[in-house]
Amino acid sequence: MEFWVYFAAKPLFWLIVTLAVFMFATALNKRSGGTPLLHPVLVAMAIIITFLLLTKTSYETYFEGAQFIHFLLGPATVALAVPLFDHFERIKTMWLVLLVACVTGAVSAIVSVLLVGLLFDLPTGVLLSLAPKSVTSPIAIGIVEKIGGFPSLAAGLVLITGAMGCLLSPLIFKLLGVKDDAVKGFSLGLSAHGFGTAYAFEVSAVAGAFAGLAMGMTGLLTAFLLPVVISLMGLI
Amino acid sequence: MLNGFLALLLCQLLGELLVLVTGMPVPGPVVGMVLLLLALIVFKRTPDSVRLVSEGLLRHLALLYVPAGVGLMVHLEMISQYWLAILVALFVSTLITMLVTVLVFRLVGKLNNSAGEP
């Protein structure tokens, strides 16, 4: 077992595990027809968590390797400006629609998740970690740190929300007869952040751009709105 | 391509600095995104190097969420206690959020269009 102790302590090993497992999960997802139920991120998370638990490896040890991938979330968030700029002309003519849809969507995301949570009598720490679930993880983590929930729980809940958004979107678009890629992308980005954006890019570049826009706007707005909403609801 | 990566990182750094100085409750990368967008608007086009790196990163956006997601393992005990309530809350809320967004988007879009016509 000495070789295991040696390799398992190396950041390189966990970096490779993350990449390889994700590639496997992506292949599995393709083979199953791209169903969001087997979303590559969720499958990869499940496999890696199981592996870490079986080998009694701590999350801190794993993260020493995985942080190199995690780090890229920052520049990737900045990179969203590029598809936004590509469709800037169309976005400019629609700013009022986008702003109103974003504010109502973001507020209904926060209020509805808190109301259902309160109905189930969830403890305050869990409620506060649920509140920013529609916001992309780097922003959600920042918000939860500020309001006093559990940041890593929030990060996980954000991902589950993302997969649910992708899963529900075809049904909702069919139900409401949505044909416009801009509407599709915007609602995906607003409710399912980066997952929804990745999913929207598969629909079309226009959908992806509007999803990226919605993700950025929702993140910004939620960062300002959330503390107000939870204090109005008496949670902090 | 390196120019492009440097540009993204610089925007992020400037974003983090702005957040630190002004104390606004927004993460640095989001401010960085706004800065890059402003730069592209001023520049009137996207340099090839920036496009190459950005499209590469965005194509693999999903992978970047894995390390944070594995962090759920720290909370397995809490999750096993409340998993049903959490899942129901997330499901109902995501459904409501999508419905509201699509409907409001359409409604305001219609009002906006009819207001613009004589």
Side-chain angles (χ1 to χ4, degrees):
Chain A
M1 281 306 278
E2 215 162 278
F3 74 93
W4 168 249
V5 173
Y6 177 76
F7 279 115
K10 294 271 175 197
L12 180 63
F13 181 76
W14 297 112
L15 185 60
I16 292 173
V17 166
T18 307
L19 258 181
V21 170
F22 183 76
M23 286 167 71
F24 167 76
T26 307
L28 190 74
N29 184 261
K30 273 220 178 92
R31 201 159 267 214
S32 62
T35 162
L37 263 182
L38 285 178
H39 195 289
V41 177
L42 294 186
V43 174
M45 270 165 59
I47 296 174
I48 296 172
I49 290 178
T50 312
F51 186 51
L52 293 176
L53 291 177
L54 286 177
T55 58
K56 295 196 170 52
T57 310
S58 72
Y59 180 60
E60 285 72 26
T61 308
Y62 165 75
F63 199 74
E64 265 171 44
Q67 62 175 326
F68 300 108
I69 294 173
H70 183 75
F71 173 80
L72 292 175
L73 266 181
T77 306
V78 177
L80 284 169
V82 172
L84 271 183
F85 176 69
D86 289 344
H87 301 279
F88 197 64
E89 285 308 311
R90 183 149 180 222
I91 289 164
K92 238 177 16 193
T93 62
M94 296 172 70
W95 69 272
L96 183 66
V97 182
L98 300 176
L99 191 67
V100 175
C102 190
V103 173
T104 45
V107 171
S108 49
I110 303 168
V111 173
S112 59
V113 80
L114 288 177
L115 285 181
V116 180
L118 282 171
L119 209 66
F120 277 100
D121 231 358
L122 285 173
T124 310
V126 179
L127 283 176
L128 294 179
S129 314
L130 273 169
K133 51 98 193 159
S134 286
V135 178
T136 183
S137 344
I139 304 183
I141 292 168
I143 293 175
V144 170
E145 274 171 357
K146 280 224 159 83
I147 61 173
F150 308 102
S152 52
L153 177 63
L157 297 178
V158 162
L159 297 182
I160 297 172
T161 306
M164 279 184 178
C166 300
L167 194 70
L168 283 169
S169 66
L171 294 171
I172 290 175
F173 296 157
K174 204 171 213 179
L175 188 76
L176 299 177
V178 180
K179 298 258 158 48
D180 188 353
D181 280 357
V183 182
K184 284 185 183 175
F186 199 80
S187 56
L188 269 167
L190 192 147
S191 57
H193 54 90
F195 271 43
T197 304
Y199 192 71
F201 270 113
E202 285 168 30
V203 175
S204 74
V206 174
F210 274 86
L213 173 69
M215 174 166 113
M217 283 175 73
T218 311
L220 270 168
L221 276 168
T222 306
F224 289 104
L225 283 173
L226 190 80
V228 180
V229 175
I230 51 176
S231 68
L232 281 178
M233 291 179 77
L235 286 170
I236 48 169
Chain B
M1 187 177 150
L2 283 180
N3 293 339
F5 197 53
L6 184 65
L8 292 184
L9 291 178
L10 280 176
C11 285
Q12 189 184 348
L13 184 70
L14 277 175
E16 309 267 13
L17 272 175
L18 268 174
V19 168
L20 201 69
V21 172
T22 60
M24 53 181 145
V26 185
V30 178
V31 180
M33 173 179 87
V34 176
L35 291 176
L36 179 60
L37 183 63
L38 291 177
L40 294 178
I41 291 169
V42 172
F43 216 67
K44 291 202 170 71
R45 63 173 206 94
T46 309
D48 290 342
S49 61
V50 173
R51 178 172 297 281
L52 200 69
V53 175
S54 298
E55 286 178 352
L57 278 171
L58 292 178
R59 201 170 316 125
H60 301 292
L61 193 59
L63 165 71
L64 311 186
Y65 288 99
V66 175
V70 174
L72 262 189
M73 68 183 278
V74 181
H75 299 288
L76 284 184
E77 214 167 292
M78 197 165 24
I79 292 166
S80 64
Q81 204 177 341
Y82 301 114
W83 66 273
L84 186 64
I86 290 176
L87 280 186
V88 172
L90 290 180
F91 186 85
V92 171
S93 173
T94 307
L95 188 70
I96 291 176
T97 307
M98 290 200 98
L99 286 173
V100 167
T101 309
V102 170
L103 293 176
V104 170
F105 197 108
R106 275 193 178 160
L107 185 73
V108 182
K110 255 182 213 149
L111 292 178
N112 210 22
N113 282 346
S114 55
E117 285 158 17

